[in-house]
């Protein structure tokens, strides 16, 4: 089904008028006006007032006939282009023949004597040729309008398909909560209960509940303020702090003026989780986790970095699924301007950073 042809014209859509209707009415009103002006200039003997009524009836019939032609053109949306043009020519011929018969019949009804005297087969054939050019012109305009409708409809459906694909892709990249995190958290809760530490176990359950509630209630396609993103990550880090209270130090270095910049929701989650998994969990030493934001020429760079230890395996330096998903999500959201980068730094840290446009409200 094609979309309304006037969807891009708010003035027409306000009154429920389509572009083809405007074309048809304008064409035949102009035709009526020209014929009337021509007779006035020629100063024919027949009274112009007497001839206006049948001419008006014929014009209304032409408008209805043109509306029918438009519907027939639209109905052949699957017809190849060359065949469609031939079909429109046939419609123009049919329109000319029908209009000529209508014109003769209406004028014969109102002015039988004059119509009978002036009628000849030559004049009738000449009238058919004249009306063929008229219907050929209006049919060509209607075909162009229909092509415009179909093009806008295809563009709209393509835009909707792209939007749906983008949304599905964003959700797929966003909803990848690591099952290892859930297993480790539940195992830690079970260990705390077995060790008769109910208060710490209760705190961990509350932290997990708060984090899951906040994470799952966030729209995956939504951009949120950086301070809210950091609050969500604080809930996650509160869970990990119970597991690694003596081996994890968190340092957030975000200037106040950058707290309200817009970032994709939970974009930092896989980066922080990667640091916990590959640095904190695999080392007996203290890991310092830094989350920082700083302004650059192209926007705001956000960085998550952690200290490296000798116990860390080569996996710490690799590109993991979580990091790849973050890079992909940023690419989908911002294109190639996100400047995503990751790797080991000279001062024995593992760093992941990206740049986002400064969307401070």
């Amino acid at each position: 089904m094609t979309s309304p042809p006037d969807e891009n014209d708010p003035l027409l859509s306000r009154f429920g008028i389509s572009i083809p209707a405007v074309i048809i009415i304008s064409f035949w009103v102009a035709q009526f006006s020209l014929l009337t002006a021509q007779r006035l200039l020629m100063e024919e003997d027949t009274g112009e007032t007497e001839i206006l009524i049948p001419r008006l009836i014929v014009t209304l019939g032409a408008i209805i006939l043109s509306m029918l032609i438009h519907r027939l053109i639209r109905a052949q949306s699957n017809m190849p282009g060359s065949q469609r043009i031939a079909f429109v020519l046939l419609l123009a011929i049919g329109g000319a023949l029908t209009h000529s018969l209508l014109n003769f019949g209406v004028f014969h009804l109102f002015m039988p004597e004059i119509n009978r005297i002036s009628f000849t087969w030559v004049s009738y054939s000449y009238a058919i040729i004249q009306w063929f050019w008229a219907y050929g012109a209006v049919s060509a305009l209607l075909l162009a309008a229909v092509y415009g409708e179909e093009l806008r409809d295809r563009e709209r459906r393509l835009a909707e398909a792209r939007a749906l694909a983008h949304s599905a892709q964003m959700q797929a990249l966003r909803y990848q909560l690591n099952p290892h995190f859930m297993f480790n958290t539940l195992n830690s809760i079970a260990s705390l209960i077995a060790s008769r530490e109910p208060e710490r176990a209760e705190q961990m359950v509350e932290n997990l509940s708060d984090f899951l509630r906040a994470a799952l209630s966030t729209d995956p396609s939504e951009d949120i303020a950086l301070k809210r993103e950091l609050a969500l990550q604080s809930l996650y880090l509160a869970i990990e702090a119970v597991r690694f209270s003596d081996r994890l130090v968190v340092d957030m270095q975000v200037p106040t003026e950058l707290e309200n910049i817009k970032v994709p929701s939970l974009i930092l989650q896989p980066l922080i989780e990667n640091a916990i998994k590959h640095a904190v969990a695999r080392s007996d030493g203290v890991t310092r986790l830094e989350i920082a934001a700083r302004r650059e020429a192209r926007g705001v760079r956000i960085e998550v970095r952690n200290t490296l230890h000798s116990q860390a395996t080569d996996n710490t330096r690799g590109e993991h699924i979580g990091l790849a998903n973050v890079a992909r999500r940023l690419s989908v959201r911002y294109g190639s301007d996100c400047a995503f980068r990751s790797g080991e730094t000279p001062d024995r840290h593992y760093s992941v950073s990206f740049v986002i446009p400064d969307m401070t409200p």
Side-chain angles (χ1 to χ4, degrees), residues 40-236:
L40 289 174
L41 290 174
M42 293 176 64
E43 297 181 351
E44 296 190 6
D45 295 336
T46 305
E48 187 57 31
T49 303
E50 181 183 358
I51 207 170
L52 279 179
I53 294 178
R55 183 180 298 149
L56 181 61
I57 294 174
V58 172
T59 300
L60 291 175
I63 291 174
I64 296 173
L65 188 58
S66 298
M67 293 288 188
L68 176 61
I69 289 175
H70 172 244
R71 292 181 65 89
L72 292 173
I73 293 174
R74 286 190 65 182
Q76 305 302 321
S77 59
N78 296 324
M79 183 179 290
S82 58
Q83 294 182 19
R84 205 171 191 185
I85 293 174
F87 178 71
V88 169
L89 288 175
L90 288 176
L91 290 177
I93 294 172
L97 292 171
T98 306
H99 187 105
S100 299
L101 288 173
L102 176 66
N103 188 72
F104 177 80
V106 170
F107 276 89
H108 188 75
L109 180 65
F110 282 84
M111 304 159 54
E113 292 299 328
I114 296 176
N115 202 48
R116 185 169 54 252
I117 294 172
S118 61
F119 174 81
T120 65
W121 286 108
V122 174
S123 64
Y124 183 72
S125 301
Y126 180 71
I128 292 176
I129 294 174
Q130 282 187 314
W131 291 122
F132 169 74
W133 289 113
Y135 277 90
V138 75
S139 298
L141 291 173
L142 291 174
L143 179 61
V146 169
Y147 273 133
E149 294 174 22
E150 294 171 352
L151 179 60
R152 285 194 297 272
D153 183 60
R154 282 194 292 268
E155 290 175 348
R156 177 187 59 79
R157 286 187 279 108
L158 181 60
E160 289 179 355
R162 286 175 176 169
L164 290 173
H166 178 275
S167 176
Q169 186 176 35
M170 292 291 283
Q171 291 191 32
L173 294 173
R174 153 71 167 73
Y175 284 130
Q176 290 200 337
L177 193 62
N178 195 329
H180 295 293
F181 159 67
M182 292 296 297
F183 296 152
N184 291 336
T185 302
L186 294 175
N187 286 335
S188 297
I189 293 172
S191 298
L192 291 173
I193 294 174
S195 302
R196 299 183 183 279
E197 297 182 69
E199 293 181 359
R200 292 182 65 195
E202 182 180 357
Q203 183 61 49
M204 201 167 188
V205 170
E206 291 178 357
N207 291 340
L208 177 62
S209 175
D210 291 341
F211 173 72
L212 292 177
R213 183 181 301 110
L216 296 178
S217 64
T218 303
D219 187 343
S221 61
E222 177 186 17
D223 287 345
I224 62 176
L226 179 57
K227 62 181 178 182
R228 184 183 172 195
E229 174 72 11
L230 295 176
L232 291 172
Q233 299 312 313
S234 295
L235 292 173
Y236 170 75

Side-chain angles (χ1 to χ4, degrees), residues 270-327:
L271 307 183
I272 295 174
E273 188 174 332
N274 184 71
I276 297 294
K277 177 181 178 181
H278 295 290
V280 182
R282 297 185 180 183
S283 172
D284 295 331
V286 176
T287 298
R288 184 179 182 84
L289 176 64
E290 299 175 4
I291 304 173
R294 59 182 180 274
R295 200 179 299 277
E296 292 185 354
R298 67 175 75 185
V300 176
R301 181 169 292 279
I302 299 176
E303 181 181 22
V304 176
R305 58 185 246 145
N306 58 270
T307 51
L308 289 176
H309 303 280
S310 57
Q311 299 98 323
T313 67
D314 290 339
N315 289 334
T316 309
R317 301 173 177 83
E319 289 295 330
H320 308 291
I321 294 177
L323 301 189
N325 284 339
V326 170

